[in-house]
Amino acid sequence: MEKNIKLNVLKNIGKVYERAENCRLQKSFFQKIDNELDYLSQYFGSSKREAFFIAVVFALNYQGNSVNLNDMIQYFNCNPMKILEYSDDFETLHEKDIFSKQQSNRRIKLAVANDEFIINKKITEAILTNKPMPEKSKEELNDVIEFLEEFSILSGQREADDIDTFSLMRKTNNLISNNLHLPLIRKLKDFQL
């Protein structure tokens, strides 16, 4: 990647963001921004579709707010069902720790509808300080006590409705998978609980 990462990443994010307004998420639109998405997908280590949503959320976050599906539906001027086709990409970006996700306090409790996305602070800092994409650190813990503390935090988040049940299950599976070096966790995994 070039030496001036900051300018190139911001330039490509800017182009994607400007062209995305009222794009209706049509396939022909994605062909028009293929070069920009190619560059961004290489930087972020993502697919081109994921790079598209990273660019849009990044830009919208700098307007001072977290981004929800309704914000994107209005920005893209698209059918709500069209954006739901991409819901797996939002979940993948959250799993990759590119997006932070929080729940809004709206009255409607629909899957994905209450999710608000924010670009990870480490990524914005890396871009603005002209550094490559930070690598995701594996959540490997030192002992079972740390594991139980992490699990307790997750259950507290679920109890407070900060995360949904699906996210709790996914994060718990990741926590277990990343800590199989601990004998008790390995044994729990063998029991397939």
Side-chain angles (χ1 to χ4, degrees), residues 11-152:
K11 178 181 76 172
N12 284 293
I13 286 174
K15 285 180 180 179
V16 169
Y17 174 73
E18 287 173 359
R19 293 178 183 168
E21 190 170 13
N22 297 315
C23 72
R24 304 179 67 85
L25 295 177
Q26 296 174 336
K27 290 186 190 256
S28 60
F29 163 72
F30 288 101
Q31 294 169 348
K32 293 176 187 175
I33 59 168
D34 189 63
N35 290 336
E36 291 83 1
L37 293 180
D38 186 50
Y39 180 88
L40 292 173
S41 69
Q42 287 178 37
Y43 176 80
F44 291 116
S46 67
S47 71
K48 290 181 182 181
R49 267 187 7 191
E50 292 168 351
F52 170 72
F53 288 109
I54 294 168
V56 171
V57 169
F58 184 96
L60 289 172
N61 281 165
Y62 272 95
Q63 291 181 352
N65 295 313
S66 55
V67 178
N68 61 36
L69 292 186
N70 192 48
D71 297 330
M72 286 187 259
I73 289 165
Q74 290 177 358
Y75 190 74
F76 302 141
N77 189 24
C78 70
N79 182 320
M81 299 306 111
K82 187 69 174 169
I83 196 109
L84 288 176
E85 292 175 17
Y86 300 98
S87 64
D88 291 345
D89 293 318
F90 297 115
E91 196 58 42
T92 301
L93 291 168
H94 177 64
E95 288 172 7
K96 288 181 175 180
D97 207 24
I98 293 174
F99 284 170
S100 297
K101 181 170 73 169
Q102 60 192 28
Q103 296 287 308
S104 70
N105 295 327
R106 295 184 178 191
R107 288 184 267 157
I108 299 174
K109 297 286 184 188
L110 295 174
V112 189
N114 290 331
D115 293 345
E116 294 182 342
F117 301 100
I118 303 167
I119 198 87
N120 185 314
K121 183 179 176 184
K122 291 179 182 179
I123 294 171
T124 59
E125 288 172 354
I127 292 169
L128 297 176
T129 57
N130 205 36
K131 294 181 180 166
M133 173 76 171
E135 291 187 28
K136 183 180 179 189
S137 59
K138 193 174 180 185
E139 299 171 16
E140 193 172 283
L141 304 174
N142 296 322
D143 59 30
V144 175
I145 302 298
E146 287 181 10
F147 176 88
L148 293 173
E149 287 173 350
E150 287 296 316
F151 185 74
S152 176

